[in-house]
Amino acid sequence: MSEKYTRIAIVTGTTSGIGEATTRKFVGAGFGVVGNGRNAKKLAALENELGAAFCSVVGDASDMTVVNKLFALATERFGRAADLVVANAGRGLGGSVKDADLSEFGQLLDINVSGALALMQKSAQIMVDIQQKGYPKSAADIVIVGSVVGRNISPFSAVYGASKFAVHALAEGLRREIGPKGVRVSLVEPG
């Protein structure tokens, strides 16, 4: 079944916005996609609509059990490991440093930073192994969705911006670590 798909992708936060649009684009381009989100009903609707090229794992992308299931399902469903991972899941939190709701800050860090790190780490471990055999003939990509607010901090969303600043640092560190091993690491910063 893997020959049917040009790439095997994992996309977190696939139930809305950038994640959903990315998933649709990938399926349209002939990729097999494993999506993730917390909205089981939306994931089921996407599975029904997109057909055999899409399957999903319900749960929080900061949960390592969910991360492991994403990679296991990619191999099980599509016959080979994911060679494209998009770390998109995240949440916002408005407010300045002085006024941000600290009771929500831990949840923001869990999904935006710890969840992204867990996905980047697992992706890197798998893709470096794949590229030892296939590079430069095969492609391996990790794409992290950050934000311009991670570079240009706004006083109105400084806490959120700090989480995206951290994601930027992780992406740059990963790029320097595994880029020379044939795995491309990209940071996309919507604004």
Side-chain angles (χ1 to χ4, degrees):
M1 184 183 281
S2 66
E3 300 305 316
K4 180 178 178 180
Y5 302 103
T6 56
R7 304 276 311 260
I8 306 302
I10 291 172
V11 180
T12 62
T14 198
T15 55
S16 65
I18 292 169
E20 182 177 353
T22 300
T23 297
R24 290 177 182 284
K25 187 78 166 173
F26 286 173
V27 168
F31 297 5
V33 180
V34 180
N36 162 256
R38 292 177 294 185
N39 184 335
K41 187 174 180 181
K42 177 67 183 224
L43 288 171
L46 285 169
E47 285 183 354
N48 187 50
E49 177 187 344
L50 299 174
F54 178 76
C55 58
S56 64
V57 175
V58 178
D60 191 315
S62 65
D63 180 343
M64 200 61 207
T65 303
V66 170
V67 171
N68 287 331
K69 283 181 183 177
L70 290 168
F71 287 90
L73 185 56
T75 302
E76 177 186 312
R77 175 71 173 261
F78 301 114
R80 65 180 197 261
D83 56 21
L84 172 58
V85 173
V86 180
N88 171 67
R91 63 165 289 189
L93 179 62
S96 66
V97 172
K98 181 177 81 55
D99 298 321
D101 183 346
L102 295 181
S103 67
E104 293 187 36
F105 185 59
Q107 295 170 6
L108 175 87
L109 289 177
D110 280 348
I111 191 66
N112 289 12
V113 180
S114 298
L117 173 58
L119 190 63
M120 285 187 256
Q121 186 177 69
K122 182 77 173 183
S123 302
Q125 292 166 352
I126 290 171
M127 289 183 190
V128 165
D129 284 348
I130 290 170
Q131 291 300 79
Q132 283 180 344
K133 299 172 198 142
Y135 183 74
K137 292 181 181 178
S138 63
D141 294 277
I142 301 171
V143 179
I144 299 101
V145 178
S147 173
V148 296
V149 177
R151 289 186 191 261
N152 303 295
I153 303 297
S154 161
F156 307 107
S157 61
V159 176
Y160 170 76
S163 76
K164 292 303 183 172
F165 191 88
V167 166
H168 171 132
L170 293 169
E172 185 59 31
L174 185 61
R175 179 183 300 117
R176 293 176 187 199
E177 179 183 357
I178 67 173
K181 297 177 181 180
V183 181
R184 294 180 293 218
V185 179
S186 303
L187 176 67
V188 178
E189 298 176 305

